[in-house]
Amino acid sequence: MNPSIQLFKSESFLQNNLKLFVNRCSENFDLPFHAHDFVEYSYVAEGKGFHHIGKDIVPVHKGMLFVIPVGVPHVFRPATSNTSEHPLILYNCLFNSELILILSIIIQEPEIGDHLTHLVQNQIPYVSITDAGQCIEELMVKLYRESSVPGIGSSTMLYTLVSQLVVTTYRQLHQKIHDEQGPPTDFEHILHYLDQHISERIRLNDLVRFSGWSEKHLGRMFLRHTGQTFGSYLQHLRIQKSCELLKHSQQKVSLIAEYVGYRDVDSFHAVFKRITGETPRIYRKKSRA
């Protein structure tokens, strides 16, 4: 494993007989880029930020769930260093192969059991879905409360809740795959347009002409599908693209800034540091350490 990636081991977290750990935490810039020998379900309960996972940088917001397989390096970062006013709050549910053996008694469907096994064996990429109807949030809250204040039958209740979490996530993932295989929605065309024209000066009026929708309707669509305003989404998209270029190219920072749509390098530096917590040069240096 890359020496810059810290390994978190089961024995540090799964110290009870249940082989299960659930917590609610506020993310910061102290936790290192890390991998672990257990499966992790992470749900964004409040705030915005970034999930650095594998080679990806994913903007995150409330309602997003990630399933991180064994061995996949990752770390969450808040959108701003002012975490007291703008915290990024997550629920985490951790378990390893020992618990999966127990869950196999409850979960009868072979395809879901295989899915869990593949997560443990690092045979599939990470999962990212947006919670439909707050079902996953409700399960995470119940898991956290039951594990924090155990009562009569807590072991059975926790195993049942974890099984529901696994099955509900698998259902939503299956639905997401099914939807993505169908024709793209009109809004997906807009996101594709932004992705392809990232180096240009893009205003909401441009999307009005492109889509035929009103500014008001576009604003509602951005909030519904991305959890962000148009301006916020575009800024985060530009910074995400610049992070990829800083990691994988030798181009000067000024050229990268221009490529992602910034004509003023100082503005690019200010937005980059506000969103990632680091300057472009420090980010490049750390990503290649």
Side-chain angles (χ1 to χ4, degrees):
M1 180 173 290
N2 190 317
S4 63
I5 300 173
Q6 188 169 332
L7 177 64
F8 290 177
K9 295 189 175 182
S10 295
E11 51 262 32
S12 300
F13 297 90
L14 311 179
Q15 297 177 346
N16 52 39
N17 294 329
L18 299 175
K19 302 303 178 184
L20 173 69
F21 177 78
V22 183
N23 75 340
R24 184 180 188 273
C25 65
S26 177
E27 297 295 334
N28 52 44
F29 293 94
D30 298 329
L31 191 68
F33 198 50
H34 62 275
H36 30 69
D37 63 356
F38 47 82
V39 174
E40 179 174 358
Y41 281 62
S42 293
Y43 179 81
V44 182
E46 296 179 30
K48 297 177 182 178
F50 288 90
H51 191 190
H52 300 250
I53 181 165
K55 296 182 179 180
D56 298 336
I57 303 171
V58 184
V60 300
H61 56 81
K62 176 178 171 57
M64 295 182 72
L65 173 80
F66 292 86
V67 184
I68 301 101
V70 168
V72 173
H74 79 117
V75 70
F76 285 92
R77 295 294 188 221
T80 171
S81 57
N82 187 3
T83 55
S84 59
E85 292 186 15
H86 304 284
L88 176 62
I89 307 294
L90 267 67
Y91 284 103
N92 299 298
C93 177
L94 323 177
F95 56 86
N96 61 11
S97 56
E98 292 182 58
L99 180 60
I100 290 175
L101 287 175
I102 298 172
L103 295 182
S104 65
I105 301 173
I106 303 172
I107 299 173
Q108 297 295 302
E109 290 76 12
E111 63 271 22
I112 302 179
D114 290 343
H115 172 72
L116 288 174
T117 300
H118 293 157
L119 288 170
V120 170
Q121 296 176 350
N122 195 5
Q123 293 180 344
I124 58 176
Y126 70 88
V127 171
S128 172
I129 61 173
T130 300
D131 187 17
Q134 297 184 317
C135 298
I136 293 174
E137 181 175 21
E138 291 178 8
L139 288 170
M140 281 293 196
V141 171
K142 288 180 180 178
L143 275 164
Y144 177 65
R145 289 175 179 169
E146 191 67 41
S147 64
S148 300
V149 187
I152 298 172
S154 280
S155 297
T156 302
M157 182 63 74
L158 285 168
Y159 288 154
T160 302
L161 289 170
V162 173
S163 298
Q164 290 182 52
L165 174 64
V166 169
V167 173
T168 301
T169 301
Y170 188 83
R171 282 180 173 178
Q172 293 195 22
L173 174 62
H174 184 76
Q175 185 62 48
K176 176 185 177 182
I177 294 172
H178 179 269
D179 292 343
E180 289 177 348
Q181 289 174 343
T185 65
D186 290 338
F187 189 74
E188 286 174 345
H189 283 302
I190 290 175
L191 297 184
H192 181 71
Y193 175 88
L194 291 176
D195 191 73
Q196 295 300 306
H197 295 79
I198 195 68
S199 63
E200 302 173 14
R201 182 183 179 187
I202 305 172
R203 296 167 296 185
L204 197 55
N205 282 337
D206 298 320
L207 298 186
V208 169
R209 290 191 294 269
F210 174 73
S211 66
W213 294 340
S214 67
E215 287 191 13
K216 188 175 182 179
H217 183 68
L218 279 167
R220 286 196 299 264
M221 293 294 283
F222 270 96
L223 287 173
R224 181 187 306 167
H225 290 275
T226 72
Q228 302 177 75
T229 64
F230 160 70
S232 176
Y233 177 84
L234 183 58
Q235 276 194 342
H236 281 78
L237 178 65
R238 283 177 165 152
I239 298 306
Q240 179 185 357
K241 293 289 185 183
S242 69
C243 285
E244 294 171 1
L245 289 168
L246 287 166
K247 286 171 64 177
H248 303 298
S249 80
Q250 302 296 327
Q251 293 185 13
K252 294 181 179 179
V253 172
S254 58
L255 291 177
I256 290 175
E258 185 174 348
Y259 177 80
V260 298
Y262 287 91
R263 301 296 175 260
D264 179 67
V265 177
D266 290 338
S267 296
F268 170 70
H269 273 261
V271 176
F272 190 97
K273 187 170 184 180
R274 175 173 60 80
I275 289 178
T276 68
E278 300 172 336
T279 66
R281 286 183 175 83
I282 291 176
Y283 177 86
R284 169 176 269 172
K285 183 177 179 180
K286 286 186 175 180
S287 68
R288 297 180 177 182

